[in-house]
Amino acid sequence: MKPDRPASPRRSAVTRPYGGVTAADRRKERHDRLMAAGLTVFGANGFHRSTVRDVCTEAGLTERYFYESFKTLLDLFNAVYMDLWTRLNQHIQVARDQVPPHLPRLAQTEAAVTVWLNFLSDDRRRARILLWDAFILHDMERPTESQTDTDRDFSKRLYVLITTLFPDFPALGVSPESLAAGVMGALIYMTKQWVQSGYAMSHDEAHKHIMLVLKATRALYQELQAEAQRDRP
């Protein structure tokens, strides 16, 4: 019986600098190239018509390096999606902070809608990912915790907006939660229609139509308040 051969030592990951660039920096650079490629490929083809090979070809990397950063194509899509939402929210916060404090709360919403429309039209790849594929995939797949938090944050912001602008709705028999869901649906689908039209409306026109939803809600609020006042003994 031959003696057991000693196990060969496992090759450790290369960590030494190469060309003055550390291994960690090279990994980050490859990760960033894959993220940029994912935005391009998903934005052009949609998730279900994209492959790992498509992404690697766009990034100029082999599939070996794809799996260094991501386990699956869906993981890459989720990373691209979260990166877009993070950047969008940063732009919205900056715009909201620039609104003079003496203006009504609705002015902050108008600023946020402007950012939303600009973000989607400045780079049309973003619209395909945020308005179409993300909704389909989140219905088909189990959303990640980060995605769930993002969706909740969007709903929560609209809920806070509704309860701040129209605090008496519960007493008037209107559910702020349901109303916030309706406003979110209107925002999403009106924007999708705008994108599908090839941005036929100007930004100002698209902005006006989205804001009509909130202004109509305000008119309903005032009407219900007037009715409640008339019904009081």
Side-chain angles (χ1 to χ4, degrees):
M1 182 176 178
K2 294 183 179 180
D4 292 337
R5 296 179 61 186
S8 58
R10 295 180 64 183
R11 294 179 63 186
S12 59
V14 178
T15 59
R16 63 182 181 275
Y18 181 80
V21 182
T22 67
D25 287 341
R26 293 199 299 276
R27 282 194 297 273
K28 182 181 184 306
E29 190 267 341
R30 290 192 291 267
H31 177 276
D32 292 347
R33 284 166 63 182
L34 289 166
M35 288 285 288
L39 175 61
T40 295
V41 172
F42 297 140
N45 305 334
F47 175 80
H48 287 104
R49 294 185 178 180
S50 301
T51 66
V52 169
R53 180 173 294 179
D54 293 334
V55 173
C56 291
T57 298
E58 178 68 27
L61 296 169
T62 65
E63 292 187 25
R64 165 197 168 195
Y65 288 122
F66 178 91
Y67 293 108
E68 172 189 67
S69 293
F70 303 99
K71 292 181 179 179
T72 66
L73 191 67
L74 181 60
D75 285 340
L76 173 61
F77 179 88
N78 289 337
V80 172
Y81 165 81
M82 291 304 303
D83 180 64
L84 289 177
W85 268 118
T86 298
R87 285 192 280 154
L88 172 61
N89 281 319
Q90 289 171 345
H91 293 325
I92 287 175
Q93 191 57 53
V94 170
R96 286 164 58 92
D97 290 344
Q98 291 175 346
V99 175
H102 67 275
L103 292 180
R105 182 68 180 267
L106 199 59
Q108 292 187 358
T109 305
E110 292 178 336
V113 170
T114 296
V115 171
W116 165 254
L117 296 175
N118 287 340
F119 190 78
L120 294 176
S121 59
D122 286 347
D123 187 338
R124 299 187 179 193
R125 299 171 299 180
R126 299 167 179 169
R128 176 67 182 263
I129 293 168
L130 292 176
L131 297 178
W132 275 274
D133 283 9
F135 284 93
I136 295 171
L137 288 169
H138 292 180
D139 286 341
M140 294 175 59
E141 308 283 346
R142 183 176 178 180
T144 66
E145 185 175 344
S146 295
Q147 289 167 337
T148 303
D149 289 344
T150 297
D151 295 340
R152 280 202 201 105
D153 181 61
F154 194 19
S155 299
K156 183 179 178 181
R157 288 188 184 201
L158 287 172
Y159 174 80
V160 170
L161 176 68
I162 294 297
T163 54
T164 300
L165 293 176
F166 317 115
D168 293 339
F169 261 145
L172 297 169
V174 176
S175 166
E177 292 88 353
S178 295
L179 189 57
V183 171
M184 182 167 72
L187 171 64
I188 296 297
Y189 284 100
M190 291 174 76
T191 306
K192 287 178 72 170
Q193 183 186 49
W194 181 58
V195 173
Q196 284 179 312
S197 73
Y199 307 95
M201 280 186 180
S202 68
H203 280 64
D204 288 344
E205 285 294 307
H207 186 283
K208 180 181 75 174
H209 281 77
I210 289 175
M211 289 305 301
L212 278 175
V213 175
L214 281 173
K215 291 178 179 179
T217 303
R218 181 174 59 188
L220 172 63
Y221 180 69
Q222 292 168 345
E223 181 181 334
L224 291 175
Q225 282 182 316
E227 287 180 3
Q229 185 68 31
R230 287 195 302 268
D231 291 342
R232 287 177 186 169

